[in-house]
Amino acid sequence: MASELSNLESATKYLSPTDKDRFFKIKRDMEASGASRKNIEERLRAFLWDVVESDDDDENEDDAL
């Protein structure tokens, strides 16, 4: 069974190259700082949601035009 972290990494295929780079930078930085796997997963999940919500906001702005 895939871990939560590998599921999150799989989701990066839907990100823009810039967001994908940011995702893996966050992951590397947190691993280097000794953060727990749970904290890394929570932070990366929050990052992905921020990206999704940002994209939704962009679409809503386009609809208003």
Side-chain angles (χ1 to χ4, degrees):
M1 187 159 115
S3 71
E4 175 72 15
L5 191 54
S6 65
N7 288 339
L8 293 168
E9 289 174 357
S10 295
T12 64
K13 66 183 172 187
Y14 301 105
L15 297 177
S16 70
T18 302
D19 288 335
K20 190 173 188 175
D21 290 344
R22 289 176 52 211
F23 177 95
F24 285 105
K25 182 179 183 332
I26 292 167
K27 181 179 180 258
R28 280 191 310 272
D29 290 349
M30 290 189 75
E31 287 173 338
S33 73
S36 71
R37 183 179 188 98
K38 181 181 176 186
N39 285 343
I40 294 170
E41 291 168 351
E42 288 174 359
R43 175 64 185 100
L44 294 174
R45 190 177 316 108
F47 172 76
L48 289 173
W49 276 110
D50 287 344
V51 170
V52 168
E53 290 173 353
S54 174
D55 287 348
D56 286 347
D57 291 345
D58 292 345
E59 287 178 13
N60 290 338
E61 289 172 9
D62 290 343
D63 291 344
L65 296 178

